Short mmCIF file of all heavy atoms in Angstrom, two decimals:
data_model
loop_
_atom_site.label_atom_id
_atom_site.label_comp_id
_atom_site.label_asym_id
_atom_site.label_seq_id
_atom_site.Cartn_x
_atom_site.Cartn_y
_atom_site.Cartn_z
N GLY A 162 -12.67 -1.76 -24.96
CA GLY A 162 -12.84 -1.31 -23.58
C GLY A 162 -11.49 -0.90 -22.99
O GLY A 162 -10.49 -0.79 -23.70
N ASN A 163 -11.46 -0.63 -21.72
CA ASN A 163 -10.22 -0.26 -21.07
C ASN A 163 -9.82 -1.28 -20.03
O ASN A 163 -10.61 -2.12 -19.59
CB ASN A 163 -10.41 1.08 -20.30
CG ASN A 163 -10.46 2.27 -21.22
OD1 ASN A 163 -10.10 2.10 -22.38
ND2 ASN A 163 -10.90 3.39 -20.74
N MET A 164 -8.58 -1.22 -19.69
CA MET A 164 -8.07 -2.20 -18.72
C MET A 164 -7.14 -1.50 -17.78
O MET A 164 -6.30 -0.72 -18.17
CB MET A 164 -7.28 -3.30 -19.49
CG MET A 164 -7.13 -4.55 -18.71
SD MET A 164 -6.73 -5.88 -19.82
CE MET A 164 -4.99 -5.83 -19.83
N VAL A 165 -7.30 -1.76 -16.48
CA VAL A 165 -6.42 -1.15 -15.50
C VAL A 165 -5.88 -2.28 -14.64
O VAL A 165 -6.61 -3.06 -14.10
CB VAL A 165 -7.20 -0.14 -14.59
CG1 VAL A 165 -6.22 0.51 -13.60
CG2 VAL A 165 -7.89 0.89 -15.43
N MET A 166 -4.58 -2.29 -14.47
CA MET A 166 -3.99 -3.29 -13.60
C MET A 166 -3.06 -2.65 -12.57
O MET A 166 -2.41 -1.66 -12.85
CB MET A 166 -3.14 -4.27 -14.43
CG MET A 166 -3.96 -5.30 -15.15
SD MET A 166 -2.89 -6.63 -15.70
CE MET A 166 -4.08 -7.66 -16.48
N LEU A 167 -3.02 -3.25 -11.42
CA LEU A 167 -2.13 -2.75 -10.38
C LEU A 167 -0.99 -3.76 -10.14
O LEU A 167 -1.26 -4.92 -10.00
CB LEU A 167 -2.89 -2.56 -9.08
CG LEU A 167 -2.07 -2.23 -7.83
CD1 LEU A 167 -1.43 -0.88 -7.99
CD2 LEU A 167 -2.98 -2.25 -6.62
N VAL A 168 0.23 -3.27 -10.23
CA VAL A 168 1.36 -4.12 -9.97
C VAL A 168 2.15 -3.52 -8.79
O VAL A 168 2.35 -2.32 -8.73
CB VAL A 168 2.31 -4.15 -11.18
CG1 VAL A 168 3.48 -5.10 -10.95
CG2 VAL A 168 1.57 -4.56 -12.40
N ARG A 169 2.58 -4.35 -7.89
CA ARG A 169 3.36 -3.85 -6.78
C ARG A 169 4.75 -4.40 -6.84
O ARG A 169 4.91 -5.63 -7.02
CB ARG A 169 2.71 -4.25 -5.45
CG ARG A 169 1.24 -3.94 -5.45
CD ARG A 169 0.67 -4.09 -4.10
NE ARG A 169 1.11 -2.95 -3.30
CZ ARG A 169 0.53 -2.65 -2.16
NH1 ARG A 169 -0.45 -3.35 -1.70
NH2 ARG A 169 0.93 -1.60 -1.48
N CYS A 170 5.73 -3.54 -6.59
CA CYS A 170 7.13 -4.04 -6.65
C CYS A 170 7.78 -3.69 -5.34
O CYS A 170 7.27 -2.99 -4.51
CB CYS A 170 7.93 -3.38 -7.73
SG CYS A 170 7.09 -3.29 -9.26
N LEU A 171 9.01 -4.15 -5.24
CA LEU A 171 9.71 -3.85 -4.02
C LEU A 171 10.83 -2.90 -4.17
O LEU A 171 11.45 -2.50 -3.22
CB LEU A 171 10.28 -5.19 -3.43
CG LEU A 171 9.14 -6.00 -2.85
CD1 LEU A 171 9.66 -7.37 -2.56
CD2 LEU A 171 8.67 -5.36 -1.59
N GLY A 172 11.20 -2.59 -5.40
CA GLY A 172 12.26 -1.55 -5.54
C GLY A 172 13.62 -2.09 -5.42
O GLY A 172 13.92 -3.18 -5.86
N GLU A 173 14.48 -1.33 -4.75
CA GLU A 173 15.88 -1.65 -4.81
C GLU A 173 16.25 -2.86 -3.94
O GLU A 173 17.36 -3.30 -3.96
CB GLU A 173 16.71 -0.48 -4.35
CG GLU A 173 16.54 0.77 -5.14
CD GLU A 173 15.38 1.61 -4.61
OE1 GLU A 173 15.13 1.53 -3.37
OE2 GLU A 173 14.77 2.26 -5.38
N GLU A 174 15.31 -3.30 -3.13
CA GLU A 174 15.68 -4.42 -2.29
C GLU A 174 15.78 -5.72 -3.05
O GLU A 174 16.33 -6.67 -2.58
CB GLU A 174 14.65 -4.59 -1.18
CG GLU A 174 14.74 -3.50 -0.16
CD GLU A 174 13.71 -3.73 0.90
OE1 GLU A 174 13.25 -4.86 1.05
OE2 GLU A 174 13.35 -2.75 1.60
N VAL A 175 15.18 -5.73 -4.24
CA VAL A 175 15.18 -6.97 -4.99
C VAL A 175 16.54 -7.16 -5.62
O VAL A 175 17.08 -6.29 -6.30
CB VAL A 175 14.11 -6.92 -6.08
CG1 VAL A 175 14.16 -8.16 -6.92
CG2 VAL A 175 12.76 -6.78 -5.44
N GLU A 176 17.11 -8.31 -5.44
CA GLU A 176 18.37 -8.66 -6.12
C GLU A 176 18.12 -9.78 -7.06
O GLU A 176 18.19 -10.94 -6.70
CB GLU A 176 19.44 -9.05 -5.13
CG GLU A 176 19.92 -7.90 -4.29
CD GLU A 176 20.55 -8.37 -2.98
OE1 GLU A 176 20.80 -9.58 -2.90
OE2 GLU A 176 20.76 -7.55 -2.11
N ASP A 177 17.72 -9.45 -8.26
CA ASP A 177 17.40 -10.51 -9.20
C ASP A 177 18.70 -11.04 -9.84
O ASP A 177 19.57 -10.29 -10.19
CB ASP A 177 16.49 -9.96 -10.29
CG ASP A 177 15.04 -10.05 -9.88
OD1 ASP A 177 14.79 -10.89 -9.03
OD2 ASP A 177 14.24 -9.30 -10.39
N ASP A 178 18.73 -12.31 -10.00
CA ASP A 178 19.90 -12.88 -10.66
C ASP A 178 19.85 -12.75 -12.14
O ASP A 178 20.77 -13.14 -12.82
CB ASP A 178 19.98 -14.40 -10.31
CG ASP A 178 20.16 -14.59 -8.84
OD1 ASP A 178 20.79 -13.72 -8.21
OD2 ASP A 178 19.69 -15.63 -8.35
N GLY A 179 18.75 -12.16 -12.59
CA GLY A 179 18.64 -12.04 -14.05
C GLY A 179 17.82 -13.17 -14.61
O GLY A 179 16.92 -12.94 -15.42
N SER A 180 18.07 -14.39 -14.18
CA SER A 180 17.28 -15.48 -14.69
C SER A 180 16.04 -15.62 -13.83
O SER A 180 15.04 -16.19 -14.27
CB SER A 180 18.08 -16.77 -14.61
OG SER A 180 18.46 -17.00 -13.26
N ASP A 181 16.07 -15.07 -12.68
CA ASP A 181 14.95 -15.21 -11.79
C ASP A 181 13.87 -14.23 -12.18
O ASP A 181 14.17 -13.06 -12.43
CB ASP A 181 15.41 -14.94 -10.35
CG ASP A 181 14.79 -15.91 -9.40
OD1 ASP A 181 14.10 -16.84 -9.85
OD2 ASP A 181 14.98 -15.73 -8.19
N GLU A 182 12.65 -14.63 -12.21
CA GLU A 182 11.58 -13.75 -12.63
C GLU A 182 10.94 -13.17 -11.40
O GLU A 182 10.23 -13.84 -10.70
CB GLU A 182 10.57 -14.53 -13.45
CG GLU A 182 11.17 -15.07 -14.73
CD GLU A 182 10.24 -16.06 -15.34
OE1 GLU A 182 9.19 -16.43 -14.76
OE2 GLU A 182 10.57 -16.53 -16.46
N GLY A 183 11.21 -11.94 -11.22
CA GLY A 183 10.60 -11.28 -10.05
C GLY A 183 9.57 -10.23 -10.50
O GLY A 183 9.17 -10.14 -11.64
N SER A 184 9.20 -9.42 -9.56
CA SER A 184 8.18 -8.45 -9.86
C SER A 184 8.72 -7.33 -10.77
O SER A 184 7.93 -6.74 -11.51
CB SER A 184 7.61 -7.90 -8.57
OG SER A 184 8.69 -7.35 -7.81
N GLU A 185 9.98 -7.07 -10.70
CA GLU A 185 10.54 -6.06 -11.60
C GLU A 185 10.43 -6.44 -13.03
O GLU A 185 10.09 -5.65 -13.91
CB GLU A 185 12.06 -5.85 -11.24
CG GLU A 185 12.28 -5.21 -9.92
CD GLU A 185 12.00 -3.71 -9.97
OE1 GLU A 185 11.92 -3.15 -11.08
OE2 GLU A 185 11.86 -3.12 -8.89
N TRP A 186 10.69 -7.72 -13.25
CA TRP A 186 10.60 -8.28 -14.62
C TRP A 186 9.17 -8.16 -15.12
O TRP A 186 8.92 -7.74 -16.26
CB TRP A 186 11.05 -9.72 -14.51
CG TRP A 186 11.38 -10.41 -15.76
CD1 TRP A 186 12.60 -10.40 -16.39
CD2 TRP A 186 10.54 -11.24 -16.53
NE1 TRP A 186 12.57 -11.18 -17.50
CE2 TRP A 186 11.33 -11.73 -17.60
CE3 TRP A 186 9.20 -11.64 -16.40
CZ2 TRP A 186 10.77 -12.57 -18.57
CZ3 TRP A 186 8.70 -12.50 -17.35
CH2 TRP A 186 9.49 -12.92 -18.44
N LEU A 187 8.25 -8.50 -14.25
CA LEU A 187 6.82 -8.41 -14.61
C LEU A 187 6.44 -6.98 -14.92
O LEU A 187 5.73 -6.67 -15.88
CB LEU A 187 6.00 -8.98 -13.45
CG LEU A 187 4.49 -8.86 -13.65
CD1 LEU A 187 4.05 -9.73 -14.80
CD2 LEU A 187 3.78 -9.33 -12.37
N LEU A 188 6.96 -6.07 -14.12
CA LEU A 188 6.64 -4.66 -14.32
C LEU A 188 7.15 -4.20 -15.66
O LEU A 188 6.45 -3.50 -16.40
CB LEU A 188 7.25 -3.83 -13.19
CG LEU A 188 7.12 -2.34 -13.35
CD1 LEU A 188 5.68 -1.92 -13.33
CD2 LEU A 188 7.88 -1.64 -12.23
N LYS A 189 8.37 -4.61 -16.01
CA LYS A 189 8.91 -4.15 -17.31
C LYS A 189 8.10 -4.71 -18.46
O LYS A 189 7.80 -4.04 -19.44
CB LYS A 189 10.36 -4.65 -17.43
CG LYS A 189 11.31 -3.87 -16.53
CD LYS A 189 12.76 -4.15 -16.98
CE LYS A 189 13.70 -3.27 -16.21
NZ LYS A 189 13.89 -3.66 -14.80
N GLY A 190 7.71 -6.01 -18.31
CA GLY A 190 6.89 -6.61 -19.38
C GLY A 190 5.57 -5.93 -19.56
O GLY A 190 5.11 -5.65 -20.67
N LEU A 191 4.93 -5.62 -18.43
CA LEU A 191 3.63 -4.98 -18.51
C LEU A 191 3.75 -3.54 -19.01
O LEU A 191 2.84 -3.06 -19.69
CB LEU A 191 2.97 -5.00 -17.15
CG LEU A 191 2.39 -6.36 -16.70
CD1 LEU A 191 1.86 -6.24 -15.30
CD2 LEU A 191 1.32 -6.79 -17.64
N THR A 192 4.82 -2.87 -18.70
CA THR A 192 4.99 -1.52 -19.16
C THR A 192 5.03 -1.46 -20.65
O THR A 192 4.59 -0.49 -21.27
CB THR A 192 6.25 -0.90 -18.55
OG1 THR A 192 6.36 -1.26 -17.19
CG2 THR A 192 6.27 0.60 -18.69
#
Side-chain angles (χ1 to χ4, degrees):
Chain A
N163 285 346
M164 200 161 90
V165 182
M166 280 196 180
L167 171 65
V168 184
R169 311 191 75 164
C170 316
L171 287 169
E173 301 88 30
E174 287 180 22
V175 177
E176 289 159 12
D177 272 338
D178 297 330
S180 60
D181 222 6
E182 297 168 354
S184 55
E185 289 284 344
W186 197 85
L187 176 65
L188 175 63
K189 288 194 174 73
L191 285 175
T192 316

